Amino acid sequence: MPDVQSMVLEFVNKLRKRKIEGSQATARCTVELLRSVISHHRVPHANQASALIDAVKAVGGQLVAANPVELAVGNVVRRVLHIIREEDLSLATAAVAGLDLLDASDDDEDVNGKGIGYPAMSAAVVAAAARSTLRPPSLQTLLEGTPESATVPYTSSSGADSESKTADKSSITRKLKHDVIEGVNQLIHEIAGCHEQIAEQAVEHIHQNEVILTLGSSRTVLEFLCAAKEKKRSFRVFVAEGAPRYQGHLLAKELVARGLQTTVITDSAVFAMISRVNMVIIGAHAVMANGGVIGPVGVNMAALAAKKHAVPFVVLAGSHKLCPLYPHNPEVLLNELRSPSELLDFGEFSDCLDFGSGSGSPLLQVVNPTFDYVPPSLVSLFITDTGGHNPSYMYRLIADYYSADDLVM
Amino acid sequence: MDPRRGPLAVPKVRRVGFFTSIEPSPETPRPNRSLSGPAEAITSSSPLSDSPSGQFISPVQIPPSRHHSDNLASRAAPVPVPGPSAFRRQLANDRTLHVGSYNPVDSLLGTSPPSSNGEVSEDSGSLFGFQRSDSAKLSASFPNGGFDMTVAVRAPGESEAKVATASTSDGRKKNVEASGESESVATKPRKEKETRSLKEKTSKAERRAIQEAQRAAKAAAKGEGSKRAGESSRPKPSKPAKQPQPKKEAPQVTSSVSEKRAVSVEKERRMDVPQTQMQYDDKSRVDKAKRRSVVEQTESKNKVELFLHLPQYERGNQLPNLSSNIFTLDTIHHAVYKVGLQHLAGDIAGDNARCIAMLHAFQEAINDYTTPPMKDLTMDLTAKINGYVSFLIECRPLSMSMGNAIRFLKNQIRKLPVDLSEPEAKASLCSEIGRFIDEKILLADKVIVQHAVTKIRDGEVLLTYGFSCVVEMILLYAHEIGRKFRVVIVDSRPNLEGQKLLRRLVTRGLDCTYTHINAVSYIMGEVTRVFLGASSIFSNGTLYSKVGTACVAMVANAFSVPVIVCCEAYKFHERVLLDSICSNELGDPDAIANVPLRNNKKHSKTMDNNKNLQFLNLMYDSTPAEYISMIVTDYGMIPPTSIPVIVREYRREDLLL
């Protein structure tokens, strides 16, 4: 499968060179890549699930190493692993004799079919997968520590599962791969649609004449605000410009184009203005398991100011941004320093940046971080595609999406 | 701030807070300046001609070489409206020799040791004892050997011995003694002056009769000393021996000062504060002001609703017209006009620089002033100054410190004795202005540097925000005396003043880290102290400073890093402020709209006419007192809660009387 290998390499290169911006785009690309990895992977007859898991893990490891700061990659890889495990589990628990109408040619079509589009065909499978995704781990599985084992009581499964116990080996193989791809397609769908899911909740949180502060440029925030605007709420938005990348200007431009009252302020004026703001809404880069948020640089300042003035600090995050890791010193370790040229003109200060003079180290250092970490204590509310949550609940929400075996990759 | 409590005011020369250094207070004065008046006379006054209190601040500390005319004036108001670069260059030149933004020569080390030397050499015999007490006091003020050099230069063995024992009160007593001593030394004419000033003093005392009466008898001696100190800071030189009778406020001067009167006086004073902020949402007043105005500002198209009470103008486009009619204008003195335009164009930035430039312009204007026939100097000059001030406000809203300086000047005009001839009055005013600049700004900065540098230890990481000349002086001085530390400069759009500071520090060999304000919480983890400048500090402890200061202070507070604010006491203001909205200044919105990005440079331009999009360029913000650990001022190091104390009790004699 040289084509898959080259696709992986190409994507790794893109990640290394930071060509892909934004966690949503990264997540989308990652999951699509993983889908083709899975579909091209030749599954052995025995123990196919673990073979698939190994393949995905190998690719996932490369991707994560390429850009460890982009947590969405790791999240998506873990989600896919979780899907494989769940599908395997549900197949093992239920022998699906009646559903073996699928054949190999179908499988091959799936690979190229970008569509998310045949849920009707295997509605039962999807339902089972969904159920198993949402099902809390039973005490027994926790005790035995083997999620793959077929110890889930039959009664908890649907009636269709329990009726047949004998399954053709080859059909199970194809079935697993098919189901996994099905699940991955669903994940793609979910990532693509998280904006709408989040935006739907906008009206519940924004009232008339509200003043909202936001910073950075997040598509989710844009959709969220516009959704409220479409529901005829009239409110005003302050946008911090987000130096040195000035993403705020882009956001402001979009907002104005959609007819929202927008005021661009400097980042330094955040504290001055926060006392007249009713709510701070930001889009997260990643949400950690402890409820901490990694967001665009400057977010921590805004969160502190909001806390000081008792202004609700709301974080919007699609489920692909939920990271199952607990951060340690995230403002440094999960950060990325960008080029100093965004801050200082090299031409003007080139003499000061000279390593050759004096002690050999330059007198001047320029620090230009990309991200900022907001501790959970400063966050009032998370709005994800499944609804609003407290920071203290995030670990639980995250447990639904990932299996504990995949946390360390 | 209950005015009725006024009369209970305590002795003037008490110092507040912690302090490390020499001068009991900068407002203690270089006394007696000669009659000749104009600013030069002050600065060049010889050490000999110093009155007792001269020992606190040795006269040479304001050395002749730093001359308003040749140095400050030229810097503040270069002949053609200068580009900022010219201004910077000059400063840079200065700096090649000395510490400090204003004036080099008064860098602490540069001046104080020579000053003592000078005194010894010139009048060594008679003044020796006095000199010794001086040095004792000095060395006492460097408790931790921070100023080794100073001590080394001037400390004979015995003075060091005194260090251990001398308490501040001790030192003060010594001052009184010493003053007696030096009085005896003084020459005849000086003696005359002294008596004159004493008489004048009694008149002042009358004014504050109640206060004086309430003072305990035991405090009398001290009070005398302190009073002299306080008094000598007032315009004694050109005053006649008779009781001065400022005409405008005759009732105040009459001997019976009732409490009620004190209240009314204080109220009047408050009214007297130049209104730095007109309420721009009041249509009729705005229209009236527009008719009078010289500067035709174009109002910005998209006003921010929250700030309708503030003027929102587009900057810079009217400058060519204005600079062309500089010579045709007769209502406004050309020096003032020039300063106004420089403010408008942003060539002079920084509160101290603006204030000094304004005061120099006023000096020039007063020099060129002639009282029209049938008019009274006091009244007419006040009216003139009011006109100038409103012109300056049109150019750019005044900073709080400028308001204070203007109030000082008006009080000086009001206090002019009637029987003073016009040239004398003018000379006296000019010298008072010069003294204000020297003592309240330049000298105060030096004192602040001395205090603040004791808070810098080896291996520290100091963070500063934007550009503050006092902070710059502190950093450079600390570097000069060999402290090893690193500086983090936090900067913000749109002015990027931090780059100016960065360039200056790096060329002097300081280890610097540069970042923008968004990254402040990234960098704060490694910072050990935050030094901030101030535009003003209000009497509820609120720090009013360049926008972003509050963010930095807040983050520092969250990281438990001490925040030290450096601010000259003349910037303190008796107003109170809670937020950054009610009182602020709006800069040019275009400065924000223009983004230095390659790809989307144009985007804001095309959106310009969309009424939904506004750009808000706030200039200041207010930092709540709880974020401030300490304020370093010329009276010592104080907590923010002590601001009203200074405002009410220490500055009373400058601003209120």
Side-chain angles (χ1 to χ4, degrees):
Chain A
M1 292 163 286
D3 52 334
V4 172
Q5 202 53 42
S6 65
M7 277 167 75
V8 170
L9 282 180
E10 192 189 336
F11 189 58
V12 163
N13 270 335
K14 271 190 188 166
L15 281 178
R16 279 223 183 95
K17 293 177 180 164
R18 309 295 194 255
K19 284 276 167 59
I20 306 175
E21 294 260 319
S23 47
Q24 208 221 355
T26 322
R28 181 103 137 260
C29 294
T30 312
V31 71
E32 275 164 10
L33 180 75
L34 289 179
R35 186 176 62 181
S36 53
V37 166
I38 291 170
S39 65
H40 281 99
H41 191 74
R42 202 153 297 174
V43 197
H45 280 290
N47 213 4
Q48 340 90 5
S50 59
L52 265 186
I53 286 172
D54 288 344
V56 170
K57 266 194 177 172
V59 174
Q62 288 181 53
L63 298 184
V64 170
N67 186 357
V69 175
E70 186 54 89
L71 294 165
V73 174
N75 296 346
V76 166
V77 172
R78 290 187 187 97
R79 287 286 290 275
V80 171
L81 290 174
H82 183 65
I83 288 170
I84 297 172
R85 286 176 202 278
E86 288 288 326
E87 293 298 340
D88 185 42
L89 180 66
S90 65
L91 277 182
T93 54
V96 272
L99 289 174
D100 53 351
L101 8 139
L102 312 159
D103 54 17
S105 67
D106 246 8
D107 259 6
D108 290 341
E109 272 175 27
D110 294 347
V111 178
N112 303 326
K114 297 267 181 288
I116 325 103
Y118 39 92
M121 196 166 173
S122 50
V125 178
V126 173
R131 225 179 303 123
S132 62
T133 311
L134 295 174
R135 184 179 53 214
S138 73
L139 188 59
Q140 200 168 10
T141 51
L142 283 178
L143 281 174
E144 301 199 354
T146 49
E148 295 112 307
S149 67
T151 46
V152 176
Y154 281 26
T155 49
S156 75
S157 304
S158 66
D161 298 342
S162 53
E163 65 184 279
S164 63
K165 278 156 192 142
T166 58
D168 180 17
K169 266 261 184 213
S170 64
S171 81
I172 285 184
T173 309
R174 274 187 238 117
K175 184 81 184 98
L176 175 73
K177 204 159 145 183
H178 180 267
D179 287 354
V180 166
I181 287 175
E182 195 87 353
V184 172
N185 279 334
Q186 232 189 352
L187 179 60
I188 294 177
H189 187 58
E190 182 191 309
I191 291 172
C194 70
H195 293 318
E196 289 90 67
Q197 296 273 325
I198 294 174
E200 268 175 24
Q201 307 166 50
V203 204
E204 297 168 28
H205 297 283
I206 296 177
H207 65 71
Q208 190 73 18
N209 271 340
E210 189 138 42
V211 181
I212 291 170
L213 175 78
T214 182
L215 54 144
S217 167
S218 159
R219 170 107 188 279
T220 321
V221 173
L222 177 70
E223 300 288 343
F224 190 81
L225 295 177
C226 291
K229 169 77 181 170
E230 276 157 23
K231 300 270 167 53
K232 302 291 176 238
R233 290 283 146 81
S234 92
F235 53 95
R236 148 193 318 271
V237 185
F238 284 113
V239 182
E241 60 177 4
R245 299 180 65 197
Y246 307 108
Q247 301 260 318
H249 283 273
L250 301 179
L251 181 67
K253 191 180 162 189
E254 295 270 337
L255 288 172
V256 169
R258 306 224 194 162
L260 276 144
Q261 274 268 333
T262 310
T263 305
V264 179
I265 61 173
T266 50
D267 305 307
S268 45
V270 163
F271 187 91
M273 297 310 299
I274 199 100
S275 59
R276 298 299 181 272
V277 164
N278 300 121
M279 179 156 57
V280 182
I281 299 181
I282 64 140
H285 171 73
V287 178
M288 307 308 288
N290 64 348
V293 179
I294 293 176
V297 69
V299 158
N300 189 38
M301 200 168 73
L304 282 169
K307 184 80 175 176
K308 154 85 181 165
H309 289 89
V311 176
F313 186 83
V314 177
V315 178
L316 309 184
S319 58
H320 59 277
K321 296 185 179 178
L322 306 181
C323 179
L325 303 176
Y326 287 83
H328 167 67
N329 199 5
E331 49 279 85
V332 177
L333 297 180
L334 290 177
N335 217 328
E336 191 166 52
L337 295 178
R338 294 174 64 89
S339 160
S341 64
E342 290 180 338
L343 290 186
L344 269 191
D345 189 12
F346 275 139
E348 247 183 83
F349 283 87
S350 52
D351 48 329
C352 312
L353 291 160
D354 187 11
F355 283 77
S357 63
S359 57
S361 66
L363 282 173
L364 173 58
Q365 294 175 353
V366 179
V367 179
N368 183 13
T370 318
F371 301 117
D372 223 350
Y373 173 74
V374 182
S377 56
L378 299 180
V379 180
S380 315
L381 186 69
F382 283 101
I383 299 180
T384 67
D385 31 13
T386 59
H389 303 285
N390 253 0
S392 56
Y393 184 71
M394 291 320 279
Y395 83 98
R396 193 63 200 80
L397 192 68
I398 281 164
D400 287 345
Y401 290 110
Y402 307 97
S403 66
D405 298 343
D406 302 326
L407 293 191
V408 182
M409 295 209 319
Chain B
M1 287 300 296
D2 184 356
R4 268 167 303 178
R5 264 192 264 141
L8 292 174
V10 261
K12 291 273 142 49
V13 189
R14 192 182 56 190
R15 301 157 88 194
V16 277
F18 306 92
F19 29 120
T20 49
S21 92
I22 335 168
E23 294 82 359
S25 74
E27 118 208 290
T28 40
R30 270 141 353 86
N32 256 326
R33 56 210 53 92
S34 56
L35 280 170
S36 52
E40 298 98 67
I42 302 179
T43 46
S44 55
S45 66
S46 82
L48 231 192
S49 72
D50 250 2
S51 93
S53 41
Q55 57 187 308
F56 301 142
I57 296 166
S58 69
V60 202
Q61 259 176 329
I62 294 163
S65 77
R66 185 245 294 105
H67 222 270
H68 314 293
S69 48
D70 63 22
N71 197 335
L72 276 167
S74 66
R75 194 181 319 133
V79 186
V81 179
S85 57
F87 187 58
R88 206 177 303 142
R89 218 176 305 125
Q90 175 112 24
L91 284 176
N93 290 343
D94 288 348
R95 193 146 306 91
T96 55
L97 289 173
H98 319 277
V99 198
S101 295
Y102 290 126
N103 199 328
V105 196
D106 14 22
S107 110
L108 305 160
L109 272 184
T111 52
S112 37
S115 78
S116 66
N117 287 343
E119 271 176 66
V120 173
S121 63
E122 277 177 61
D123 32 38
S124 49
S126 51
L127 279 182
F128 189 67
F130 151 60
Q131 173 65 35
R132 221 191 306 152
S133 75
D134 183 12
S135 68
K137 211 172 152 26
L138 248 178
S139 42
S141 62
F142 302 113
N144 46 10
F147 294 91
D148 322 328
M149 287 177 70
T150 329
V151 176
V153 171
R154 42 165 77 195
E158 74 266 43
S159 76
E160 223 130 64
K162 272 185 194 170
V163 176
T165 55
S167 73
T168 39
S169 66
D170 244 13
R172 202 172 293 136
K173 254 180 232 155
K174 239 171 267 156
N175 297 343
V176 178
E177 290 164 18
S179 69
E181 229 174 291
S182 72
E183 253 176 285
S184 68
V185 170
T187 51
K188 267 275 149 59
R190 304 224 74 265
K191 197 120 203 177
E192 263 174 37
K193 265 179 249 157
E194 205 63 35
T195 50
R196 263 191 235 162
S197 74
L198 267 172
K199 275 205 180 153
E200 180 220 330
K201 217 178 303 152
T202 52
S203 82
K204 293 267 157 74
E206 274 176 344
R207 246 182 268 172
R208 265 172 295 149
I210 287 182
Q211 280 159 264
E212 299 293 298
Q214 278 170 346
R215 269 180 203 161
K218 101 176 166 213
K222 204 206 246 176
E224 179 73 7
S226 67
K227 219 197 312 162
R228 182 172 304 149
E231 232 78 60
S232 52
S233 72
R234 264 168 251 144
K236 93 190 51 154
S238 44
K239 285 212 174 135
K242 297 157 217 155
Q243 300 242 341
Q245 287 281 353
K247 39 183 89 156
K248 248 191 141 180
E249 305 204 353
Q252 289 173 0
V253 199
T254 53
S255 51
S256 72
V257 181
S258 68
E259 269 199 22
K260 222 195 238 164
R261 191 147 289 157
V263 173
S264 74
V265 167
E266 199 148 312
K267 263 187 195 151
E268 213 171 299
R269 289 285 135 66
R270 207 158 285 160
M271 301 294 288
D272 194 45
V273 183
Q275 204 175 10
T276 47
Q277 304 229 316
M278 189 169 74
Q279 297 307 308
Y280 275 74
D281 41 359
D282 185 346
K283 265 272 177 285
S284 58
R285 296 190 66 171
V286 174
D287 288 345
K288 229 199 285 172
K290 266 210 186 123
R291 255 174 277 129
R292 276 187 276 121
S293 71
V294 185
V295 187
E296 277 173 34
Q297 303 255 33
T298 43
E299 293 193 12
S300 55
K301 278 158 273 172
N302 283 341
K303 293 193 174 186
V304 183
E305 199 183 310
L306 207 50
F307 289 94
L308 282 181
H309 60 286
L310 299 175
Q312 301 190 22
Y313 293 130
E314 282 177 0
R315 291 273 172 86
N317 40 9
Q318 65 284 67
L319 206 60
N321 306 333
L322 286 172
S323 47
S324 62
N325 61 4
I326 183 165
F327 296 114
T328 60
L329 210 72
D330 53 346
T331 50
I332 287 159
H333 190 269
H334 60 89
V336 178
Y337 197 79
K338 193 167 71 185
V339 170
L341 294 195
Q342 283 168 333
H343 284 182
L344 184 65
D347 290 347
I348 303 183
D351 273 345
N352 284 345
R354 281 175 70 196
C355 190
I356 290 174
M358 179 190 74
L359 287 176
H360 280 305
F362 283 163
Q363 241 176 353
E364 220 173 299
I366 289 173
N367 262 334
D368 293 352
Y369 169 83
T370 44
T371 320
M374 307 301 291
K375 276 199 177 157
D376 172 58
L377 180 133
T378 315
M379 304 282 266
D380 191 56
L381 193 56
T382 311
K384 264 256 177 348
I385 296 284
N386 280 339
Y388 296 159
V389 169
S390 59
F391 167 75
L392 287 176
I393 293 178
E394 280 168 31
C395 291
R396 184 178 163 185
L398 299 184
S399 64
M400 300 294 162
S401 52
M402 290 165 78
N404 280 342
I406 291 166
R407 188 152 55 140
F408 163 83
L409 176 61
K410 284 191 187 167
N411 278 311
Q412 292 302 328
I413 297 174
R414 187 184 300 137
K415 271 161 50 183
L416 281 178
V418 221
D419 45 1
L420 218 55
S421 74
E422 188 185 307
E424 275 176 329
K426 277 158 59 179
S428 136
L429 282 178
C430 286
S431 74
E432 282 307 320
I433 294 174
R435 193 181 58 81
F436 185 88
I437 294 173
D438 285 341
E439 278 178 10
K440 297 291 168 197
I441 307 179
L442 304 181
L443 205 53
D445 281 348
K446 283 187 296 176
V447 177
I448 291 172
V449 169
Q450 278 187 335
H451 284 310
V453 88
T454 62
K455 297 291 165 209
I456 300 178
R457 289 171 302 196
D458 279 351
E460 286 205 290
V461 181
L462 311 176
L463 184 142
T464 182
Y465 174 66
F467 179 85
S468 157
C469 43
V470 191
V471 173
E472 185 203 4
M473 287 162 78
I474 292 168
L475 296 175
L476 288 178
Y477 180 64
H479 181 66
E480 205 160 87
I481 63 172
R483 298 281 151 81
K484 300 270 177 292
F485 59 93
R486 206 153 64 78
V487 183
V488 177
I489 298 172
V490 179
D491 208 351
S492 78
R493 281 240 307 154
N495 289 335
L496 296 176
E497 293 163 330
Q499 293 193 2
K500 190 163 77 175
L501 179 64
L502 177 68
R503 152 115 5 236
R504 293 185 183 182
L505 294 187
V506 166
T507 49
R508 294 292 293 271
L510 274 84
D511 201 351
C512 290
T513 303
Y514 179 82
T515 188
H516 55 92
I517 187 155
N518 273 336
V520 69
S521 46
Y522 173 87
I523 204 82
M524 194 58 84
E526 57 192 74
V527 172
T528 56
R529 280 195 209 304
V530 175
F531 279 91
L532 295 174
S535 172
S536 181
I537 302 182
F538 293 111
S539 67
N540 61 343
T542 303
L543 165 67
Y544 184 72
S545 187
K546 182 178 146 42
V547 65
T549 307
C551 290
V552 174
M554 174 186 66
V555 174
N557 198 54
F559 281 74
S560 306
V561 177
V563 176
I564 299 171
V565 176
C566 306
C567 180
E568 300 87 354
Y570 87 103
K571 290 178 175 174
F572 294 173
H573 204 284
E574 72 268 0
R575 277 181 57 183
V576 289
L577 194 65
L578 285 176
D579 60 16
S580 318
I581 315 283
C582 296
S583 167
N584 212 318
E585 185 184 336
L586 298 184
D588 185 6
D590 280 347
I592 295 190
N594 297 332
V595 177
L597 266 193
R598 290 136 255 168
N599 40 9
N600 58 348
K601 199 166 198 165
K602 280 278 164 206
H603 85 263
S604 297
K605 277 285 165 217
T606 57
M607 308 296 287
D608 243 6
N609 33 19
N610 194 322
K611 66 174 180 4
N612 279 337
L613 180 64
Q614 298 134 0
F615 292 97
L616 176 64
N617 187 1
L618 273 187
M619 302 288 272
Y620 297 99
D621 66 7
S622 53
T623 311
E626 65 196 80
Y627 293 151
I628 302 170
S629 320
M630 183 171 88
I631 295 169
V632 183
T633 181
D634 27 350
Y635 293 93
M637 294 183 250
I638 57 172
T641 46
S642 296
I643 296 296
V645 180
I646 298 226
V647 170
R648 283 184 51 82
E649 295 180 13
Y650 286 78
R651 271 208 339 219
R652 180 183 298 273
E653 57 258 42
D654 302 315
L655 295 180
L656 295 189
L657 286 180

